[in-house]
Amino acid sequence: MLDVCLLGTGGMMPLPYRWLTSLMVRYNGKSILIDCGEGTQIAMKEKGWSPKPIDVICFTHFHADHISGLPGMFLTMGNAERTEPLLLIGPKGLERVVTALRTIAPELPFEIKFMELSDTQQSIDLGGIKLNAFKVNHNITCYGYSLEVERVGMFDLERAKEQEIPQKYWSRLQKGEVIEAEGITYTPDMVLGAPRKGLKVTYTTDTRPCESIVENAKDSDLFICEGMYGEEDKVKKAKEYKHMTFYEAAELAKRSNVAEMWLTHYSPSLVRPEDYMKKVRKIFPNSHAGKDGKSVELMFQD
Amino acid sequence: MLDVCLLGTGGMMPLPYRWLTSLMVRYNGKSILIDCGEGTQIAMKEKGWSPKPIDVICFTHFHADHISGLPGMFLTMGNAERTEPLLLIGPKGLERVVTALRTIAPELPFEIKFMELSDTQQSIDLGGIKLNAFKVNHNITCYGYSLEVERVGMFDLERAKEQEIPQKYWSRLQKGEVIEAEGITYTPDMVLGAPRKGLKVTYTTDTRPCESIVENAKDSDLFICEGMYGEEDKVKKAKEYKHMTFYEAAELAKRSNVAEMWLTHYSPSLVRPEDYMKKVRKIFPNSHAGKDGKSVELMFQD
């Protein structure tokens, strides 16, 4: 089960009724946060989720609305007596930017590790979760992220028997162990059927539509995409500031063959995103206007 | 009229139901903000006040809960197309700290000016408002502030006549002009009675009780003081972390002969400050538990 919460849906500045865009994902005891603008720690508390067990914080880019909440988040984690190291992932310059922000949060009881992205496409194993970072098209370097949980095949009794694998190893092999015994190497795939469908969530914001999004969002169970403007005539503005309209996001969802799309990162001038959804759903039917705290528990298919 | 709003009342970390401690004062077209933690710009918007016309931002000290909202505030001011310079006042190191935070807000359409405090006691003329900064006693350098609006005497017809001041100068003198005419210098005090009572607001947070507070808060119309803990047995904790209990704040209010006290900067563990106010009022009757957005229009006495 992948527990996903869109903590906020605002772009540019936090508003009394809208937190800044940020995504939190929990899986198997791990917590991952993507983006941390001013107020993200409050949004998290409002949702009832805790910042303490966050293992990784990813940043799409270094505009303030995506990182200004970091010093406060650090201190709140510190006040909760966190001692486990925290991994930060983001574009080149991450350590420099975070070090500058730590001027007001210099003493923390946990270590901060940095992983700076430099490739156009990068895959990172977060232990049970595969994080794919991909460059998108904004006015500064910006990445989108997809999170994938792969799922091995079911135990295949016939195959195990056919290959004469000793029964005493079945359970360990099924759990992923490689076993050497009497000169023979037994691997998990020897007792498993074809991999089953896993889970995939893709998050991208502050970008024009681009091919890297289509490629990386492909077949996602959930595609969370920026929609800065709902008004169709704001496409010029979207191009100028390197953002998207709702309709451009919907086209991406359609081309990526995702199961569901949530829009986010609304312009402060956009008060009622719902007003535009009817038209958006004509392009991609399973489109939803994201709301602060909107969450879903994505389940493996049986 | 001095328009005062306590935008938030929290200490340490912002909470879903409590913004971080910050004070905004408006007088005669001028706006002054003291402290700007994470979320202060949202608190301001919630109150319906605008960040655009802020002339001065004062900082008590550089713990994150008092300055972490600054990059976002800068950007929101910039997005509102502010071009007037902004004066920042705070302890030594101000420019270094703000420059570091500007890593995520590098481009702004207005100039930022710095005034770093170094004396124990410093008086600054903000044009119509006198700002007194005074060192208090925290675990890093920290200042309290009092804002004073002085008020000249009423026009004194008898005095003006007695001194044979030409009537044509009366109005200009009353408005504060110094006039040289026919070898004589006429000064405003020549047509005015004794100065009338002005207005005074004092704000101090993140400190142990100390004499500089008593001296500077003296006779304030409104004294806004930190009260980190309501529980009497937390005085040890207050001493350790260099904060105050509600009762220590009330003692200061009493000794300073202020008209009214508001408590602020509550510990996140303190859920209902009101619960302790009965005891606080035994020490200083006109004590109030500050609330987010609590405001008052202080009027000149006639």
Side-chain angles (χ1 to χ4, degrees):
Chain A
M1 192 183 78
L2 202 62
D3 213 3
V4 179
C5 180
L6 184 59
L7 294 170
T9 53
M12 277 178 77
M13 62 184 78
L15 297 172
Y17 56 88
R18 192 185 284 160
W19 300 113
L20 287 170
T21 291
S22 170
L23 186 76
M24 190 156 167
V25 175
R26 303 192 296 192
Y27 172 71
N28 213 3
K30 280 201 172 308
S31 292
I32 297 165
L33 181 70
I34 310 183
D35 286 335
C36 185
E38 182 175 359
T40 292
Q41 65 164 312
I42 321 175
M44 201 179 293
K45 211 162 281 177
E46 208 165 73
K47 182 68 186 176
W49 290 19
S50 167
K52 197 181 172 190
I54 292 173
D55 305 279
V56 185
I57 306 180
C58 306
F59 297 95
T60 52
H61 64 305
F62 305 134
H63 279 154
D65 54 333
H66 294 259
I67 192 167
S68 50
L70 191 62
M73 184 68 81
F74 280 162
L75 288 168
T76 295
M77 284 173 161
N79 285 327
E81 289 169 14
R82 178 204 178 93
T83 53
E84 298 77 18
L86 175 69
L87 175 64
L88 304 185
I89 298 175
K92 230 174 148 175
L94 178 67
E95 186 162 356
R96 179 184 58 81
V97 172
V98 173
T99 302
L101 293 177
R102 283 201 54 196
T103 303
I104 55 167
E107 285 161 37
L108 297 172
F110 55 89
E111 187 195 352
I112 293 171
K113 297 180 174 186
F114 296 94
M115 186 184 287
E116 299 200 353
L117 306 167
S118 48
D119 297 347
T120 304
Q121 175 88 37
Q122 225 164 312
S123 186
I124 299 146
D125 180 4
L126 297 179
I129 303 179
K130 195 171 90 177
L131 178 77
N132 295 304
F134 52 97
K135 248 190 204 163
V136 292
N137 175 20
H138 196 40
N139 50 21
I140 62 169
T141 303
C142 186
Y143 280 84
Y145 292 98
S146 83
L147 288 158
E148 278 184 271
V149 180
E150 290 170 346
R151 197 175 186 211
V152 294
M154 298 240 277
F155 181 76
D156 190 330
L157 184 67
E158 292 309 309
R159 290 196 66 210
K161 279 184 177 170
E162 264 170 35
Q163 294 168 94
E164 293 180 352
I165 293 163
Q167 192 171 346
K168 59 181 174 184
Y169 300 146
W170 288 1
S171 163
R172 288 164 61 193
L173 287 168
Q174 193 187 354
K175 284 174 186 154
E177 210 176 311
V178 173
I179 298 166
E180 306 266 354
E182 294 150 35
I184 305 171
T185 303
Y186 301 101
T187 56
D189 65 285
M190 295 168 89
V191 300
L192 299 175
R196 287 170 290 177
K197 195 194 160 313
L199 295 171
K200 184 173 176 181
V201 176
T202 302
Y203 170 94
T204 192
T205 179
D206 291 61
T207 175
R208 290 289 303 144
C210 57
E211 287 310 301
S212 65
I213 299 175
V214 178
E215 285 157 23
N216 282 277
K218 198 168 172 6
D219 300 330
S220 291
D221 296 279
L222 178 60
F223 174 49
I224 296 173
C225 186
E226 85 137 73
M228 192 81 172
Y229 308 108
E231 307 88 333
E232 282 170 300
D233 58 359
K234 287 209 173 158
V235 68
K236 266 187 202 168
K237 215 170 167 183
K239 283 179 183 170
E240 186 184 345
Y241 295 106
K242 300 257 187 176
H243 283 288
M244 280 189 228
T245 64
F246 284 16
Y247 318 98
E248 290 177 314
E251 290 288 354
L252 288 175
K254 189 177 164 183
R255 290 184 57 208
S256 307
N257 189 42
V258 303
E260 183 170 349
M261 175 181 74
W262 295 358
L263 289 167
T264 188
H265 204 274
Y266 306 128
S267 162
S269 66
L270 188 65
V271 181
R272 282 183 299 276
E274 271 298 343
D275 290 357
Y276 305 94
M277 293 310 293
K278 207 172 156 187
K279 274 190 187 168
V280 174
R281 289 190 193 109
K282 279 187 185 163
I283 301 168
F284 183 75
N286 205 6
S287 296
H288 302 266
K291 280 183 188 171
D292 289 11
K294 186 174 170 68
S295 58
V296 66
E297 294 176 4
L298 295 174
M299 310 293 273
F300 287 117
Q301 286 171 16
D302 274 4
Chain B
M1 192 184 79
L2 203 62
D3 215 2
V4 179
C5 180
L6 184 59
L7 296 169
T9 53
M12 279 179 75
M13 63 183 78
L15 297 172
Y17 56 89
R18 193 185 282 160
W19 300 113
L20 287 169
T21 292
S22 170
L23 186 76
M24 190 155 168
V25 175
R26 304 192 294 192
Y27 173 71
N28 215 2
K30 278 201 174 309
S31 292
I32 297 165
L33 182 70
I34 311 183
D35 287 335
C36 185
E38 182 175 1
T40 292
Q41 66 164 313
I42 320 175
M44 201 179 292
K45 210 161 281 175
E46 208 165 71
K47 181 69 186 176
W49 290 19
S50 167
K52 197 182 171 187
I54 292 173
D55 304 280
V56 185
I57 306 179
C58 306
F59 297 96
T60 52
H61 64 304
F62 304 135
H63 279 154
D65 54 334
H66 294 259
I67 192 167
S68 51
L70 191 62
M73 185 67 82
F74 280 161
L75 288 168
T76 295
M77 285 172 160
N79 285 327
E81 287 170 13
R82 177 202 179 95
T83 53
E84 299 77 19
L86 175 69
L87 175 62
L88 304 185
I89 298 174
K92 229 174 150 178
L94 177 67
E95 188 163 355
R96 179 185 59 80
V97 172
V98 173
T99 303
L101 293 178
R102 282 200 56 196
T103 305
I104 54 167
E107 285 160 38
L108 297 171
F110 55 90
E111 187 195 351
I112 293 171
K113 296 180 175 185
F114 296 94
M115 185 184 285
E116 299 200 352
L117 305 166
S118 48
D119 297 347
T120 303
Q121 175 89 35
Q122 224 164 313
S123 185
I124 299 146
D125 180 4
L126 297 178
I129 303 179
K130 194 171 91 177
L131 178 77
N132 296 304
F134 52 96
K135 248 189 204 165
V136 292
N137 174 20
H138 196 40
N139 51 20
I140 62 168
T141 304
C142 185
Y143 281 84
Y145 293 97
S146 83
L147 288 159
E148 277 184 273
V149 180
E150 289 169 346
R151 197 177 187 207
V152 295
M154 297 242 275
F155 181 76
D156 189 332
L157 184 66
E158 292 308 310
R159 292 195 66 210
K161 279 184 177 168
E162 265 169 35
Q163 293 169 95
E164 293 180 353
I165 293 162
Q167 193 172 345
K168 60 180 173 183
Y169 300 145
W170 289 2
S171 163
R172 287 164 62 194
L173 287 167
Q174 193 188 353
K175 283 174 186 154
E177 210 175 311
V178 173
I179 297 166
E180 306 266 353
E182 294 149 34
I184 304 171
T185 303
Y186 300 102
T187 55
D189 65 286
M190 296 167 89
V191 300
L192 298 175
R196 287 170 290 178
K197 192 194 162 315
L199 295 171
K200 184 174 175 181
V201 176
T202 301
Y203 170 94
T204 192
T205 179
D206 292 60
T207 175
R208 290 290 303 146
C210 57
E211 286 311 302
S212 65
I213 300 174
V214 178
E215 285 156 23
N216 282 277
K218 197 169 173 5
D219 299 331
S220 291
D221 297 280
L222 178 59
F223 174 49
I224 296 172
C225 187
E226 86 136 73
M228 192 80 172
Y229 308 108
E231 306 88 331
E232 282 170 299
D233 60 357
K234 288 210 173 158
V235 67
K236 265 187 203 167
K237 215 171 167 180
K239 283 179 183 169
E240 186 184 345
Y241 295 107
K242 299 255 186 180
H243 283 289
M244 280 189 229
T245 64
F246 284 15
Y247 317 98
E248 290 177 314
E251 290 289 352
L252 288 174
K254 187 177 166 184
R255 290 183 55 207
S256 308
N257 189 41
V258 302
E260 183 170 347
M261 175 180 75
W262 296 357
L263 289 167
T264 188
H265 204 272
Y266 307 128
S267 162
S269 66
L270 188 64
V271 181
R272 283 182 300 273
E274 271 299 344
D275 290 356
Y276 306 94
M277 294 310 293
K278 208 172 156 186
K279 274 190 186 168
V280 174
R281 288 190 193 108
K282 279 187 186 165
I283 301 168
F284 183 75
N286 205 6
S287 296
H288 301 266
K291 280 183 187 172
D292 289 11
K294 185 173 171 71
S295 59
V296 66
E297 294 176 3
L298 295 174
M299 312 291 273
F300 288 117
Q301 287 172 15
D302 275 5

